[in-house]
Amino acid sequence: DAFWLATDDGLLRGKMSGGTFQLEERFTDADGLLSLQVWSVTEGPHGGIWVGYLGMAAGVTRLKDGVATSFQEKGGLASPIVWSITVAGPSVWFWTAAGVSRFDGESWYSYPVASDANRVVSPVFASKRERDSILIGTLGRGALRPDLGFRLQ
């Protein structure tokens, strides 16, 4: 099984062998990445690898079948700064600087999440207990489970 690493010098794919990471391939902007500052990575529900970036001019990239497809704010992503990516059901979820975005394989949906100095939001996770929900972590204030008004299929 492949092991993916997000780095500030691109995306690395390799495998673990005897507790050591064995590099097999490095992906850069020459491979279609929007930036070398890769911050988050996860495997998508329908194959492909999703990559998130911290840079203001970035967004997310899906690497699938040798093709890099990138998405930015103009395509529906809430913000070009993507802190974390998770999969819940058939959707890919992105925690961004402007809230949570969801990609269902065809369309983008964004949900602003209010934050203030007392509740700074951080990564979004798929709930392991409830297939239809996501959890949004906070710094020192627990987790939020938003009512998104729909159920995952």
Side-chain angles (χ1 to χ4, degrees), residues 23-52:
L23 178 65
E24 294 178 340
E25 192 169 5
R26 178 173 175 259
F27 296 85
T28 68
D29 50 351
D31 301 299
L33 298 185
L34 293 172
S35 169
L36 291 179
Q37 291 185 315
V38 177
W39 185 255
S40 52
V41 60
T42 196
E43 188 171 347
H46 306 291
I49 299 298
W50 287 88
V51 179

Side-chain angles (χ1 to χ4, degrees), residues 9-32:
D9 196 27
L11 178 67
L12 306 180
R13 181 179 58 82
K15 61 182 176 182
M16 295 300 292
S17 177
T20 303
F21 180 74
Q22 303 290 320
L23 178 65
E24 294 178 340
E25 192 169 5
R26 178 173 175 259
F27 296 85
T28 68
D29 50 351
D31 301 299

Side-chain angles (χ1 to χ4, degrees), residues 5 9 18 23 35 39 78 90 93-94 103 109 118 130 137 141 147:
L5 291 175
D9 196 27
L23 178 65
S35 169
W39 185 255
W93 293 84
F94 306 86
F103 183 69
Y109 306 89
N118 295 323
E130 297 181 37
R141 301 276 305 224
D147 178 4

Side-chain angles (χ1 to χ4, degrees), residues 65-112:
D65 300 326
V67 177
T69 305
S70 294
F71 302 90
Q72 298 172 313
E73 284 179 288
K74 63 184 173 195
L77 187 64
S79 167
I81 299 173
V82 179
W83 292 321
S84 68
I85 307 170
T86 194
V87 173
S91 295
V92 184
W93 293 84
F94 306 86
W95 177 246
T96 78
V100 177
S101 290
R102 176 174 68 94
F103 183 69
D104 65 6
E106 295 181 17
S107 300
W108 285 92
Y109 306 89
S110 290
Y111 310 91

